[in-house]
Amino acid sequence: MGNFAKIRHSDCAGFVNTKIFQPMAQRTKQEVLDYLSRAEVAAVGTSNMGTPRQRMMHFGADDDFNIYVSSMKGDPKVIQWSNIPETALLIHQGKTFLEMEECEIIGRAEIIRDKQDREKALRLMTVRSPIVANFAKINATDRLEFIRIKPFVVKYRFVPEILQGEKPTIFEFPENRESFSTWDDLKAKARAWKEAVRPLSLTASLIPLLLGGAIAFYTIHTFNIILFLLTLIGGVMIQAGTNMINDWKDAERDNENVEGIRPFTGGSRMIQLGLVSRSDMGFFGFVLCIVSFLIGAYLVAVTGWGLVPLIFYGLFAGLFYTGEKGKFSFINLAPGIAEFLIATTFGVMMTMGAFYVQTGFYSLQAFLISLPVAIFISNVLLINQFQDAASDMKSDKNTLVVRLGKRKAKNILIGCFIVAYAIIAILPLLGYAPYTFYVAFLSVPFAVQAIRYAQRNYDKNSADLVPSNAHTAITHLFTGLLLVFAFLLTGLGFVFPSLYMVASLLLVFWVWHYIERQRKTMTNFRMAIGKK
């Protein structure tokens, strides 16, 4: 058997009825591997903040008892493994009680990154899993993650032997325990907290802050980079903090949400996946908000009291956008109130705030220019409510989609797109924006696609609406970056705006690639399981 494992043998303890059952010696490595090769599925158990979670999965095993499984990229199970890798598997077979065999494997999971190891896992799983075989058939295995569970201990049991006092066959792998470090655990925890702040959503605060700074430079031709960076950090932190607080408040509701599609809807799901506790989510959300408030207080001291109303408006809107069942929240106050507050916070108020920090005064021009951004972010919020509508209705979370229905909400979405681009068209003609403002119309194709998918799929399966979620988010991001570019191009010549535009296009491409990968993964999965 070599040095790959240590085998603990036990003495036979005798048997109650040797006429019925004749005991066997401890199983060899090959005998246990043969048993694993005959089994089709395993109950795969992971930890959810101390609460066990299980799923039946097809698996493959190599000669060293490494277990291979597969799941879609972005699947909650994969995210959970990335952060809490400890895993238990139970393989159980037998037609009658006295024929029952089982193999228990305790180990640690790792996402396979090495190309050769992925190919090995693919070969194993293509034979063992019909879904993986179908993914291979449609040439879409790049949408799958392959997970290797390196065993710490393998226990094989045969029920009659256990009843007669025999001990199980046990293989131990101490070298696998030593191959993981504390640093691996720290990186896993960092990944969980990164997901908790919902990094993809932070463009909602990034865009208006950049725009406010650009308008300020266009207006007064000076720029305080330190104050701008503090404004940017404070604004992004308040959004990250309110994201976490909303997850904390909505934890019970999100437990009921089975239609949510990451990364668009249903929150970060870190509480539901057991990667962050509810109390930690709320605590660190408040910490981020407090730090953001302190940054805001410093900016008030430096730039003037005119910033105070904006800070309190943003804090109030973010903290009370939603709430626990039975408690006050703007979302249950009146139709559209919560959506209006979020749109104005992540459109008008942040743009005006960044402008004020640089100039020390408010401007009608900055207000008008912020309106398209406010409308686009309201559309992002609105389209993301569609997939959550069923669970929101059950949990008394009265979003605009719940109140009006999907058909009317879809029409509002389309109308908002039209109004936003109409404002962009009018402002240069009225003298409130330079004619470079029209560069923002480069984002129209994304808006058209968002409308097309919303019109066609608003009342269909949650996954069918994902392209509209994606195109709406890209429209907000790309349009906002183009508006900033319009002001930079007017005041800074050609070189710096060109570098900014290259960076912006890279950001848009990265976000688009991420979203498109999610969409293709879901599409390929539906094809693999035979759904159209």
Side-chain angles (χ1 to χ4, degrees):
M1 204 171 295
N3 295 324
F4 86 100
K6 298 177 182 178
I7 304 179
R8 293 210 305 253
H9 294 278
S10 60
D11 295 327
C12 293
F15 301 93
V16 175
N17 191 340
T18 56
K19 292 182 180 179
I20 297 176
F21 171 73
Q22 183 65 37
M24 294 180 64
Q26 293 277 297
R27 268 50 171 198
T28 65
K29 168 190 173 183
Q30 191 57 51
E31 286 174 325
V32 177
L33 287 173
D34 288 343
Y35 167 73
L36 293 178
S37 69
R38 295 194 302 271
E40 293 186 6
V41 295
V44 181
T46 51
S47 173
N48 179 354
M49 298 300 291
T51 301
R53 303 183 69 169
Q54 288 188 325
R55 181 189 294 183
M56 300 301 295
M57 302 184 74
H58 290 93
F59 73 96
D62 65 18
D63 291 341
D64 293 324
F65 286 107
N66 291 312
I67 303 298
Y68 296 84
V69 295
S70 182
S71 191
M72 290 191 303
K73 289 183 176 179
D75 182 80
K77 197 72 171 176
V78 174
I79 297 171
Q80 196 172 37
W81 263 319
S82 299
N83 295 276
I84 307 178
E86 287 72 22
T87 304
L89 298 94
L90 183 65
I91 300 97
H92 193 82
Q93 287 194 110
K95 293 182 179 180
T96 67
F97 180 69
L98 290 179
E99 295 176 328
M100 289 295 180
E101 298 175 87
E102 67 178 31
C103 187
E104 179 186 6
I105 301 172
I106 308 295
R108 187 179 176 104
E110 58 183 6
I111 311 298
I112 298 175
R113 305 297 183 194
D114 181 78
K115 183 178 179 181
Q116 290 184 342
D117 287 345
R118 274 185 63 90
E119 290 175 353
K120 175 182 177 180
L122 176 60
R123 288 194 300 271
L124 278 170
M125 293 304 298
T126 300
V127 176
R128 304 280 293 176
S129 168
I131 292 179
V132 174
N134 283 338
F135 267 90
K137 186 176 180 180
I138 63 176
N139 197 29
T141 55
D142 60 322
R143 307 301 170 194
L144 295 173
E145 293 282 19
F146 291 96
I147 298 92
R148 175 172 51 218
I149 300 162
K150 301 181 76 171
F152 298 157
V153 61
V154 175
K155 295 182 181 180
Y156 170 85
R157 303 180 183 92
F158 183 42
V159 168
E161 291 178 347
I162 299 301
L163 293 176
Q164 300 290 353
E166 282 290 303
K167 293 183 178 180
T169 298
I170 301 176
F171 302 96
E172 292 184 308
F173 302 81
E175 68 277 12
N176 285 346
R177 293 182 184 272
E178 296 167 1
S179 64
F180 298 99
S181 66
T182 304
W183 179 242
D184 293 324
D185 292 330
L186 289 175
K187 288 191 292 184
K189 183 59 70 174
R191 284 193 296 268
W193 283 108
K194 183 199 75 173
E195 293 295 328
V197 301
R198 298 185 235 168
L200 200 63
S201 74
L202 298 181
T203 56
S205 54
L206 176 67
I207 292 302
L209 294 170
L210 289 174
L211 183 59
I215 300 170
F217 179 77
Y218 172 80
T219 303
I220 63 174
H221 306 294
T222 60
F223 195 75
N224 189 316
I225 187 66
I226 301 299
L227 291 181
F228 176 73
L229 289 176
L230 286 173
T231 306
L232 193 64
I233 293 169
V236 171
M237 286 182 74
I238 190 64
Q239 186 193 351
T242 53
N243 281 349
M244 296 171 74
I245 289 171
N246 287 338
D247 274 1
W248 166 63
K249 290 182 177 181
D250 276 347
E252 186 177 342
R253 290 188 174 111
D254 287 338
N255 285 336
E256 303 171 3
N257 189 349
V258 296
E259 293 290 325
I261 301 289
R262 295 185 72 257
F264 304 109
T265 69
S268 71
R269 310 296 295 176
M270 292 298 103
I271 295 175
Q272 287 70 32
L273 290 171
L275 304 181
V276 177
S277 71
R278 186 177 182 183
S279 58
D280 283 349
M281 185 73 80
F283 174 77
F284 285 106
F286 278 110
V287 168
L288 287 176
C289 288
I290 291 170
V291 174
S292 177
F293 180 80
L294 293 176
I295 292 174
Y298 173 77
L299 292 174
V300 168
V302 173
T303 63
W305 289 94
L307 201 59
V308 171
L310 302 186
I311 293 174
F312 279 100
Y313 185 96
L315 280 171
F316 201 56
L319 292 176
F320 295 101
Y321 164 71
T322 187
E324 297 176 80
K325 286 184 178 181
K327 295 187 178 180
F328 173 80
S329 67
F330 287 117
I331 209 161
N332 287 331
L333 194 60
I337 292 293
E339 289 79 5
F340 173 81
L341 287 172
I342 294 301
T344 51
T345 298
F346 293 104
V348 177
M349 299 302 167
M350 283 195 168
T351 303
M352 297 286 283
F355 179 87
Y356 182 89
V357 167
Q358 295 295 322
T359 64
F361 59 86
Y362 290 121
S363 160
L364 176 61
Q365 180 188 41
F367 170 77
L368 293 173
I369 290 169
S370 72
L371 292 179
V373 175
I375 294 171
F376 284 130
I377 196 61
S378 70
N379 267 4
V380 172
L381 180 65
L382 183 60
I383 192 65
N384 289 350
Q385 291 175 359
F386 277 71
Q387 284 100 333
D388 290 342
S391 63
D392 286 344
M393 187 179 298
K394 291 178 183 177
S395 59
D396 298 323
K397 187 176 180 180
N398 296 316
T399 63
L400 203 58
V401 174
V402 170
R403 291 176 184 271
L404 301 181
K406 291 185 177 181
R407 185 180 183 85
K408 289 183 179 179
K410 176 262 299 180
N411 292 335
I412 291 175
L413 180 88
I414 295 171
C416 284
F417 274 120
I418 294 170
V419 170
Y421 281 110
I423 293 172
I424 292 172
I426 291 171
L427 288 181
L429 300 177
L430 297 178
Y432 286 107
Y435 282 99
T436 53
F437 210 58
Y438 290 136
V439 73
F441 281 102
L442 290 174
S443 67
V444 166
F446 292 107
V448 170
Q449 287 292 85
I451 292 171
R452 185 169 71 89
Y453 282 112
Q455 186 76 35
R456 189 169 64 188
N457 299 326
Y458 72 92
D459 59 347
K460 294 183 180 178
N461 185 281
S462 293
D464 293 326
L465 197 59
V466 166
S468 188
N469 296 99
H471 284 91
T472 303
I474 292 293
T475 300
H476 166 261
L477 174 63
F478 194 30
T479 306
L481 292 172
L482 288 170
L483 293 177
V484 174
F485 176 70
F487 284 99
L488 295 181
L489 195 61
T490 303
L492 286 176
F494 181 75
V495 177
F496 181 79
S498 297
L499 293 174
Y500 163 84
M501 199 62 219
V502 170
S504 297
L505 290 173
L506 289 174
L507 176 60
V508 171
F509 176 77
W510 178 82
V511 173
W512 174 254
H513 177 72
Y514 176 84
I515 293 172
E516 185 68 4
R517 187 175 61 191
Q518 295 287 94
R519 184 191 67 80
K520 286 184 178 179
T521 297
M522 286 182 283
T523 301
N524 292 145
F525 177 74
R526 297 177 72 189
M527 291 174 62
I529 63 176
K531 288 187 177 181
K532 295 183 179 181

